[in-house]
Amino acid sequence: MALPPIQQAKWLPADTFKNEVALVTGGGTGLGLQISRGLAELGAQVVIASRTQSNHGPFLEEAEARGWSVESLQLDVREPAQCQSLIDGIVERHGRLDHLVNNAAGNFVCPTHRLSANAWRAVLSIVLDGTFYCSKYAGRHMLKAGKGTQLNIVATYAWTGMPGVAHSASAKSGVLTLSKTLAAEWAPHGVRVNAVAPGPFTSDGAKGNLWPDDETEERIRSSVPMGRFAGKAEVAAQCLWLMGPACSYVTGDCLTIDGGLSLGAGRLFADGARPGKKDTPR
Ligand code: COA
């Protein structure tokens, strides 16, 4: 029986990442998994790495069924030595590393006055430190090769802030600035560094940690101007596009993929120009 097509891969040529090697941290679940699937479908050899290797099963099974060339490794991005040896190992085995996706993250909602030092540190070290370690060690190989792309996953609250996620917002803000800094440092050497800021999309991690009940989920959904959450494949498609040759002159940018959510102030008068007056487009 033919397997269904990979939705996120359908907008790019089938050989977009042919013979290239990509590392996706947290690549076995959520958005990371969708990016990994897209990269593999478009020809890349994909290495996924995360703390919990048992999360890699679905990707490995699909890879076998579709004939993708993939590898699954254990990695805690908070450990710089682990990041270095994992990345050096990839280059030793495959001879190259063309793409890094810093997708591994940790997040939960907690009022700042209740956030323990340990909780703050846990998120900062996964999101900001982990991104720095992987970027640095992958960057060394990419600089030597004179090419490569790095993609960082942030959120629009990296520049707006948001109640309840001081740890994640601060970390993502740092990641965004790191992206721009590395983009400028490494542009002369052919290495591009970009970011994406997805709005809410459905994933088990987000559902469990950010909108655990239906009421919260509905409140968030109704505040998105497009009136819906993104599909994971829809977000992954933009990630692939930014990493691919169509964006060869794009670096240091952050693409917002949020159905207009960050234009949220525009919802203030969404029901009509005058308060209390409803209007429907004709
Ligand atoms: N609310 C408040 N504090 C929390 C919390 C929550 N929901 N979840 C974890 N913490 C606190 C813990 O209590 C601990 O602090 P303490 O020692 O002062 O009690 C600290 O955070 C570290 O937690 P721990 O579970 O020991 O750390 P970890 O490194 O194993 O976990 C996290 C990392 C905290 C990011 C964890 O939430 C996680 O792994 N989440 C799943 C991945 C994820 O969040 N993905 C992103 C989805 S959008």
Side-chain angles (χ1 to χ4, degrees), residues 3-107:
L3 291 163
I6 305 287
Q7 214 194 330
Q8 55 271 46
K10 72 181 180 188
W11 291 280
L12 291 168
D15 61 352
T16 298
F17 300 109
K18 196 171 174 204
N19 298 327
E20 294 184 339
V21 178
L23 167 62
V24 184
T25 65
T29 53
L31 177 60
L33 172 60
Q34 299 310 320
I35 297 172
S36 301
R37 296 175 72 227
L39 284 165
E41 181 69 0
L42 294 168
Q45 296 187 48
V46 180
V47 182
I48 61 170
S50 67
R51 263 195 302 175
T52 315
Q53 240 180 323
S54 56
N55 285 341
H56 298 180
F59 181 62
L60 296 178
E61 282 159 30
E62 185 174 13
E64 192 168 353
R66 292 186 186 269
W68 295 334
S69 169
V70 306
E71 207 178 344
S72 144
L73 300 173
Q74 211 266 330
L75 172 70
D76 186 340
V77 294
R78 294 175 288 195
E79 299 297 332
Q82 274 187 36
C83 296
Q84 181 171 20
S85 71
L86 181 135
I87 287 167
D88 288 352
I90 293 171
V91 176
E92 265 169 42
R93 286 190 301 284
H94 299 283
R96 57 196 292 165
L97 177 61
D98 301 278
H99 306 282
L100 165 68
V101 182
N102 282 306
N103 167 77
N107 199 6

Side-chain angles (χ1 to χ4, degrees), residues 51 78 105-110 116 118-119 122-123 126 205-206 209-210:
R51 263 195 302 175
R78 294 175 288 195
N107 199 6
F108 51 82
V109 178
C110 182
S116 74
N118 201 28
V123 171
I126 296 168
N209 292 290
L210 302 179

Side-chain angles (χ1 to χ4, degrees), residues 54-214:
S54 56
N55 285 341
H56 298 180
F59 181 62
L60 296 178
E61 282 159 30
E62 185 174 13
E64 192 168 353
R66 292 186 186 269
W68 295 334
S69 169
V70 306
E71 207 178 344
S72 144
L73 300 173
Q74 211 266 330
L75 172 70
D76 186 340
V77 294
R78 294 175 288 195
E79 299 297 332
Q82 274 187 36
C83 296
Q84 181 171 20
S85 71
L86 181 135
I87 287 167
D88 288 352
I90 293 171
V91 176
E92 265 169 42
R93 286 190 301 284
H94 299 283
R96 57 196 292 165
L97 177 61
D98 301 278
H99 306 282
L100 165 68
V101 182
N102 282 306
N103 167 77
N107 199 6
F108 51 82
V109 178
C110 182
T112 309
H113 64 283
R114 296 195 199 288
L115 197 61
S116 74
N118 201 28
W120 167 269
R121 199 58 253 158
V123 171
L124 264 287
S125 60
I126 296 168
V127 175
L128 184 55
D129 299 353
T131 298
F132 165 66
Y133 301 142
C134 291
S135 302
K136 169 183 163 175
Y137 293 119
R140 285 183 177 178
H141 294 287
M142 292 175 176
L143 291 174
K144 217 180 279 176
K147 66 189 178 71
T149 78
Q150 300 193 355
L151 184 75
N152 297 323
I153 315 297
V154 299
T156 55
Y157 57 57
W159 56 91
T160 63
M162 185 169 289
V165 287
H167 46 1
S168 176
S170 305
K172 296 285 191 188
S173 190
V175 169
L176 186 61
T177 321
L178 178 67
S179 303
K180 290 175 183 289
T181 302
L182 295 180
E185 258 185 55
W186 293 347
H189 308 285
V191 180
R192 297 191 294 113
V193 185
N194 287 298
V196 293
F201 57 86
T202 309
S203 79
D204 293 343
K207 184 154 181 59
N209 292 290
L210 302 179
W211 50 86
D213 57 85
D214 292 348

